[in-house]
Amino acid sequence: MSEENENLINNNNDDNQETITKVTGMYKDWFLDYASYVILERAVPAIEDGFKPVQRRIMHSMKDLDDGRYNKVANIVGHTMQYHPHGDASIADAMVQIGQKDLLIDTQGNWGNILTGDRAAASRYIEARLSKFALDVVYNPKITEWQASYDGRRKEPVNLPVMFPLLLAQGGEGIAVGLSTKILPHNFIELIDASVKHLQGKRFTILPDFPTAGIADFTNYNDGLRGGKVRVRAKISQYDKNTLVITEIPFGTNTSSLIDSILKANDKGKIKIKKIEDNTAADVEILVHLPSGISPDKTIDALYAFTNCETSISPLGCVIEDNKPFFVGVTEMLRRSTDNTVQLLKQELEIKLGEFEEQWHFASLERIFIENRIYRDIEEEETWVGVIRAIDKGLQPHIKHLKRAVTDEDIARLTEIRIKRISKFDIDKAQQKIDALEDQIAEVKHHLANLIDYAIAYFTRLKKEYGKGRERQTEIRVFDDVDATKVVIRNTKLYVNREEGFVGTSLRRDEYVCDCSDIDDIIVFTKDGKMMVTKVDSKTFIGKGIIHVAVFKKKDKRTIYNMIYRDGKGGPSYVKRFAVTSITRDREYDLTNGTSNSIVNYFSANPNGEAEVVTVMLRQVGSIKKLKWDLDFADIIIKGRASKGNLVTKNTIKRIELKEKGVSTLKPRKIWFDDTVERLNVDGRGELVGEFRGEDRILIITQSGLIKTIIPEITARFDNDMIVMEKWIPKKPISAIYFDGDKERYYVKRFLVENENKIESFITDNQNSQLEIVSTDWRPMAEVVFAKERGKDRKDNLQVNLEEFIAVKGVNALGNQLTRDKVNQINLIDSLPYEAPEEMPADEMEVIDEEVVENKESVVKPSENGEASKDLDIDDEGQITLF
């Protein structure tokens, strides 16, 4: 046993006690050593060049082997093992990752597919060489700092002199001990533009750009620091009526994982699909086939809500600087990288200046040596020292203009000049060479004096030479939040046992209520005036005497509940109208006045604020003359759910019967379009589309010549080429001028939307046909600008009244030819005046969220003797009381 091990545990036999030597300190040191090694040597890239150690060694090895031809990856991996202390698998995997980023390595063979997740072929089957970009910006041995490799046999770079923000261009990810890093890739061109702006002293912003494209919301990017979040979505569009197509996927996913997540969501009942086809090759194409009757718009939102079609990425900018981990944002990373590039360019220029000056010095010496025939002075010298002295003596009269002293090494080089070169020496050519060197020296000094301008020119050259085809792929957009409860497929059925007071999805023998999903909330009202909102479950006890149950919509101000209740046993009856917009789940709310034994005599739920007319019938008690009258809920103000309500009668109600179904008493719903997120809303964000009642629709026209009308649902999605979106007036004609690809002429047509549930094309289907202008004005005017024909004056512009030019025809009609002359352009001009017919206004009743009414309103009510009266009294609290 070694002395060290003997000291770990020492038994003390004298007092029969064990003395334990703690090894805590040892483990602490070992752990810190291991953690430091993983952080510095494996997981986290250096800020100086953007490489992890294994990546740097791969790039150094590829430069060692570079001869312009492809090398087997297995050969490169084996060569890298001279520098890298780990196995070949880690080197090959790291090299494939670099190659898939398509920036530094020119690849040949099957290098895998980031879109499908397919792995690369074995390293013996694929080849690689350095790209022109890598050779241009990564290497310069003259300004590279070197260190010994792990076994001391070779030299490897401490950092490569990368003159480009490579870390931001490629991104980087790694998990170390106690920390991790996740730097997202950014756009090549945008990084160069940002570097130029930094050098110019301007502010800049850079955002990630993913090789898988997709759509991203960088609102909370937080400059790539800890705590930031990027939301990334697949690009999904409607392929046809029952098919969706996914053409771009979120970063960090592939088509296999994406399809798996869609199938799982379908199995769980969150979405409903028929089948999926994966046609991905060079580009992503996943076809999602929907059953008939399923809304494509809602399914797109559901895909974002329940599948990997939307993912969140949490960036974390961590790099190695001065052998320590350093947390930094992408803006600061770019500044440091750009400043480092400027310093590297300065070092290159200084080295180049030194080389040019050295060449000028020796060229001048050579000219003096030959032109003045100093070589003849050494003919009689017998020793080397004598030769050196003779040449030095001969040079002295001619070297006053030199920029440095002549050394013995310079004289030794002169003695190495061959006789053949001396015999063919041309003084003019020698002077031209010196002049050229002086010009180069002056140019380098100019660059050093204007280093920032030189660096800007350097970045501009990189953009010009390598920027083609590297435009932004990821679309930047602000996302709206998808409400999962609104887009989830109703995958189960809700039942109720009214007498026993149970609701749930497992009560199949009881009364069916509606379809629902397992993430819905349900709202339940009972006979004693209680209300509760609870989550859907297999079986939940609410309370006996359930009178209404439905799926609850949060913040729903349009569903109005009409209720008449008796306050306590034998008390007066009250009528109230209210909405339920917000609640605490599983809390019981009392909708009556709170008196025990209160009971609901009449209840109705109205999704659009309908107000019915009911007949109230009293019991024959005492001298009541009128036992029956009508009550119109339209006369009752909508208040908060906690309001007491208006007095109906102090007498006992026998029963209440529905006399007449009601119409909506709410104002038409205002719909806005938010161009930022390209969605409709009722919150006043964006541009007002219009006020919509139950059957009103939105008209949509696209640049590709498609027209359709849709119900103004908040979940509706819109095409990128949409050019018209407004409230649809069925009798209002649409006017269009389009170019027909078959006949190569412009045509005018006016038409009405004939089928509100169908998407129709109103231009011909030739691939060269295109929509020129479209107008939804009643009397539109267009101006035609003719092209100038050779040898003729340009024709005057033609103004066309489209209403007079052509009558309203069918949507599929060809239309009338506009002109035979060659057209330069067609413009819409101010329309002719027209007074559109007014819409019939609906009865309006404003929804009041407050529980107290501040102004007096007149309502129809019965008197105690049953006579109708409009007299009322408002107490100090604003409560309306009917006599």
Side-chain angles (χ1 to χ4, degrees):
M1 183 181 292
S2 67
E3 182 178 350
E4 181 181 353
N5 290 336
E6 288 178 354
N7 291 334
L8 290 178
I9 302 176
N10 182 30
N11 294 327
N12 189 339
N13 296 326
D14 296 336
D15 53 6
N16 295 322
Q17 291 182 349
E18 288 188 346
T19 301
I20 299 176
T21 301
K22 295 183 178 180
V23 294
T24 307
M26 295 182 183
Y27 281 116
K28 181 179 180 182
D29 293 340
W30 295 340
F31 181 79
L32 285 176
D33 290 343
Y34 168 69
S36 300
Y37 171 75
V38 174
I39 292 169
L40 299 177
E41 296 296 328
R42 299 189 71 171
V44 185
I47 194 171
E48 289 84 2
D49 59 4
F51 288 123
K52 297 179 184 179
V54 65
Q55 296 171 332
R56 187 179 301 113
R57 289 161 183 154
I58 289 169
M59 297 302 295
H60 175 57
S61 295
M62 291 189 71
K63 180 62 175 173
D64 278 349
L65 296 171
D66 183 56
D67 58 1
R69 297 184 296 174
Y70 288 100
N71 285 287
K72 288 280 188 184
V73 169
N75 185 31
I76 299 172
V77 170
H79 194 274
T80 306
M81 290 183 72
Q82 297 177 96
Y83 306 100
H84 195 61
H86 299 290
D88 59 338
S90 62
I91 300 172
D93 289 344
M95 188 171 177
V96 167
Q97 288 180 18
I98 299 173
Q100 288 178 340
K101 291 169 182 174
D102 192 27
L103 188 61
L104 299 178
I105 298 179
D106 185 3
T107 62
Q108 184 167 273
N110 177 16
W111 280 68
N113 191 329
I114 60 172
L115 299 178
T116 62
D118 294 334
R119 291 179 59 83
S123 57
R124 61 185 176 275
Y125 298 124
I126 55 178
E127 298 178 330
R129 65 182 177 187
L130 290 172
S131 67
K132 291 182 180 179
F133 176 76
L135 291 168
D136 195 349
V137 305
V138 174
Y139 302 101
N140 190 331
K142 295 176 183 177
I143 57 174
T144 302
E145 183 182 352
W146 301 91
Q147 64 182 1
S149 62
Y150 75 98
D151 60 2
R153 287 189 174 94
R154 291 181 172 270
K155 295 291 185 183
E156 64 174 342
V158 176
N159 289 301
L160 287 168
V162 178
M163 290 184 281
F164 179 78
L166 189 63
L167 180 57
L168 292 173
Q170 293 194 129
E173 186 173 354
I175 300 175
V177 179
L179 60 81
S180 63
T181 184
K182 194 175 185 72
I183 300 165
L184 302 182
H186 293 68
N187 181 260
F188 182 93
I189 296 173
E190 291 174 5
L191 288 175
I192 291 178
D193 291 342
S195 293
V196 171
K197 286 183 178 179
H198 170 60
L199 293 173
Q200 293 172 338
K202 299 178 181 178
R203 298 182 65 182
F204 63 89
T205 302
I206 52 175
L207 296 173
D209 184 26
F210 305 119
T212 54
I215 312 166
D217 183 348
F218 300 111
T219 306
N220 299 315
Y221 183 44
N222 194 31
D223 202 39
L225 288 165
R226 187 199 307 269
K229 186 175 78 169
V230 175
R231 295 170 63 190
V232 191
R233 284 181 176 176
K235 184 166 283 188
I236 310 174
S237 57
Q238 190 171 344
Y239 188 76
D240 57 36
K241 185 172 68 173
N242 292 320
T243 310
L244 303 176
V245 59
I246 301 174
T247 53
E248 296 174 9
I249 60 176
F251 181 66
T253 67
N254 54 61
T255 55
S256 299
S257 63
L258 194 68
I259 290 172
D260 287 344
S261 71
I262 295 173
L263 294 175
K264 285 180 182 177
N266 182 65
D267 293 341
K268 292 180 180 178
K270 306 293 186 185
I271 60 176
K272 199 167 187 179
I273 63 172
K274 187 188 291 182
K275 66 174 180 177
I276 296 180
E277 289 181 53
D278 186 4
N279 300 328
T280 302
D283 298 312
V284 173
E285 185 182 283
I286 302 173
L287 298 178
V288 182
H289 297 274
L290 307 178
S292 58
I294 298 296
S295 167
D297 288 340
K298 283 189 177 181
T299 304
I300 291 175
D301 279 343
L303 287 171
Y304 289 144
F306 303 115
T307 74
N308 287 347
C309 287
E310 178 179 331
T311 61
S312 290
I313 303 172
S314 298
L316 177 56
C318 179
V319 295
I320 299 299
E321 184 182 53
D322 297 330
N323 283 325
K324 290 182 291 186
F326 174 56
F327 293 92
V328 62
V330 294
T331 303
E332 183 63 21
M333 277 190 214
L334 185 83
R335 290 195 187 101
R336 291 179 181 237
S337 173
T338 305
D339 293 341
N340 184 54
T341 298
V342 172
Q343 293 305 312
L344 292 173
L345 289 171
K346 182 181 179 183
Q347 290 180 41
E348 270 194 347
L349 289 172
E350 289 172 343
I351 291 172
K352 193 178 291 185
L353 178 63
E355 291 174 346
F356 286 152
E357 287 182 338
E358 194 64 24
Q359 291 175 31
W360 180 88
H361 178 78
F362 186 73
S364 299
L365 274 181
E366 184 181 57
R367 181 186 172 187
I368 294 168
F369 181 71
I370 297 174
E371 186 179 353
N372 295 284
R373 305 188 180 214
I374 296 173
Y375 53 85
R376 290 185 175 180
D377 298 344
I378 66 175
E379 291 176 353
E380 298 180 358
E381 296 294 337
E382 297 179 355
T383 64
W384 176 251
V385 175
V387 170
I388 298 298
R389 287 178 180 173
I391 296 174
D392 186 33
K393 183 178 179 181
L395 292 173
Q396 289 305 317
H398 311 286
I399 60 174
K400 293 179 181 179
H401 69 286
L402 298 182
K403 298 176 182 178
R404 68 170 177 84
V406 178
T407 64
D408 289 347
E409 289 78 9
D410 294 334
I411 297 173
R413 285 185 64 189
L414 292 175
T415 62
E416 295 172 359
I417 300 175
R418 296 183 179 182
I419 298 298
K420 184 177 181 181
R421 187 173 169 192
I422 293 174
S423 63
K424 291 186 176 182
F425 185 76
D426 188 327
I427 294 176
D428 292 335
K429 285 186 177 180
Q431 187 58 45
Q432 288 174 7
K433 180 181 178 182
I434 292 171
D435 292 343
L437 286 169
E438 287 177 349
D439 291 341
Q440 290 174 316
I441 290 169
E443 182 183 15
V444 172
K445 286 183 176 179
H446 174 77
H447 291 331
L448 283 169
N450 300 275
L451 191 58
I452 299 301
D453 292 338
Y454 178 72
I456 291 173
Y458 169 80
F459 280 113
T460 305
R461 179 184 67 82
L462 290 183
K463 179 180 176 180
K464 182 179 179 181
E465 290 187 12
Y466 306 107
K468 187 177 180 181
R470 299 189 182 276
E471 293 78 15
R472 169 166 284 277
Q473 298 183 67
T474 302
E475 181 183 346
I476 301 173
R477 192 185 295 176
V478 177
F479 294 163
D480 57 327
D481 293 323
V482 177
D483 188 345
T485 59
K486 292 182 179 179
V487 298
V488 67
I489 294 296
R490 306 303 180 197
N491 55 2
T492 187
K493 297 181 184 298
L494 183 66
Y495 302 90
V496 60
N497 186 323
R498 297 182 185 274
E499 292 184 4
E500 298 296 326
F502 288 97
V503 294
T505 58
S506 63
L507 309 175
R508 293 183 176 85
R509 295 183 179 180
D510 294 307
E511 179 186 343
Y512 166 75
V513 178
C514 63
D515 289 349
C516 66
S517 73
D518 52 10
I519 65 171
D520 279 334
D521 289 327
I522 54 173
I523 186 167
V524 187
F525 297 85
T526 59
K527 188 70 175 175
D528 57 357
K530 303 296 195 296
M531 180 196 77
M532 180 185 290
V533 175
T534 186
K535 199 167 185 64
V536 168
D537 205 345
S538 58
K539 187 177 181 180
T540 303
F541 179 74
I542 303 296
K544 293 185 177 182
I546 294 174
I547 57 176
H548 178 74
V549 57
V551 173
F552 177 65
K553 300 175 183 177
K554 191 180 290 187
K555 299 180 181 178
D556 179 15
K557 293 184 177 181
R558 296 192 69 83
T559 299
I560 304 300
Y561 301 98
N562 299 338
M563 187 173 90
I564 299 174
Y565 71 94
R566 187 191 70 204
D567 183 28
K569 188 175 182 179
S573 295
Y574 295 89
V575 60
K576 62 192 291 186
R577 301 185 74 202
F578 59 93
V580 180
T581 56
S582 61
I583 46 81
T584 301
R585 186 185 288 142
D586 296 325
R587 174 184 169 185
E588 186 179 79
Y589 292 87
D590 194 342
L591 303 176
T592 69
N593 202 27
T595 309
S596 60
N597 296 319
S598 295
I599 191 169
V600 176
N601 291 320
Y602 178 84
F603 184 89
S604 68
N606 307 280
N608 285 298
E610 292 85 355
E612 64 270 33
V613 178
V614 297
T615 300
V616 179
M617 289 173 277
L618 304 181
R619 292 187 181 276
Q620 179 64 56
V621 177
S623 60
I624 300 176
K625 294 182 180 179
K626 191 164 185 178
L627 302 176
K628 177 180 174 181
W629 71 91
D630 293 339
L631 188 151
D632 189 349
F633 276 97
D635 297 327
I636 308 299
I637 298 172
I638 300 170
K639 303 180 184 178
R641 65 167 179 265
S643 65
K644 180 179 180 180
N646 299 345
L647 181 66
V648 177
T649 179
K650 293 182 180 179
N651 299 305
T652 304
I653 294 177
K654 181 179 181 181
R655 68 176 181 272
I656 300 175
E657 294 179 351
L658 177 64
K659 180 179 181 181
E660 182 182 325
K661 289 185 178 181
V663 296
S664 175
T665 58
L666 302 179
K667 287 184 177 180
R669 186 169 62 163
K670 289 185 178 181
I671 301 288
W672 285 266
F673 179 72
D674 187 347
D675 188 57
T676 304
V677 297
E678 296 183 352
R679 301 299 288 270
L680 299 174
N681 68 87
V682 294
D683 306 320
R685 291 180 283 107
E687 184 179 348
L688 180 65
V689 180
E691 298 183 353
F692 292 81
R693 298 185 177 89
E695 298 181 357
D696 290 341
R697 300 174 75 92
I698 292 177
L699 173 70
I700 295 175
I701 304 175
T702 68
Q703 184 62 56
S704 55
L706 297 177
I707 188 166
K708 62 180 178 180
T709 65
I710 64 169
I711 298 172
E713 295 178 331
I714 307 303
T715 56
R717 310 190 73 84
F718 301 93
D719 299 324
N720 291 331
D721 66 341
M722 178 180 68
I723 54 176
V724 172
M725 182 184 66
E726 61 183 40
K727 185 178 178 181
W728 177 46
I729 301 174
K731 294 182 180 180
K732 189 178 181 184
I734 293 100
S735 306
I737 300 178
Y738 71 96
F739 179 79
D740 178 51
D742 289 325
K743 301 185 178 181
E744 297 186 347
R745 290 283 190 274
Y746 287 94
Y747 284 83
V748 182
K749 64 188 299 184
R750 302 185 77 218
F751 59 93
L752 296 173
V753 176
E754 298 170 355
N755 190 338
E756 63 183 33
N757 297 312
K758 184 179 179 182
I759 300 175
E760 295 184 288
S761 175
F762 58 89
I763 65 175
T764 52
D765 58 2
N766 186 287
Q767 63 178 1
N768 294 322
S769 297
Q770 60 182 19
L771 178 63
E772 190 67 23
I773 60 170
V774 65
S775 173
T776 57
D777 290 343
W778 289 94
R779 302 180 67 193
M781 294 286 294
E783 182 181 53
V784 181
V785 180
F786 295 101
K788 186 180 183 304
E789 297 184 30
R790 184 177 296 177
K792 296 182 181 180
D793 294 335
R794 187 193 299 272
K795 291 184 65 174
D796 293 337
N797 294 350
L798 173 66
Q799 291 191 353
V800 182
N801 182 340
L802 300 185
E803 181 188 29
E804 295 178 352
F805 192 86
I806 186 172
V808 176
K809 299 182 180 180
V811 68
N812 295 318
L814 180 65
N816 292 353
Q817 184 174 293
L818 177 63
T819 179
R820 292 180 178 273
D821 297 316
K822 195 171 183 179
V823 174
N824 189 12
Q825 66 181 42
I826 302 172
N827 304 313
L828 278 173
I829 58 177
D830 292 339
S831 299
L832 297 175
Y834 180 81
E835 197 168 317
E838 294 184 4
E839 296 183 53
M840 293 296 293
D843 293 335
E844 294 182 356
M845 177 69 70
E846 185 173 359
V847 177
I848 301 177
D849 291 332
E850 292 79 15
E851 296 181 7
V852 177
V853 180
E854 299 294 337
N855 60 329
K856 293 186 178 183
E857 295 285 351
S858 177
V859 297
V860 178
K861 55 160 188 356
S863 63
E864 286 190 15
N865 61 6
E867 295 293 332
S869 171
K870 288 192 177 180
D871 295 331
L872 54 85
D873 181 53
I874 302 180
D875 61 21
D876 294 336
E877 296 180 355
Q879 181 63 53
I880 300 176
T881 303
L882 291 155
F883 300 96

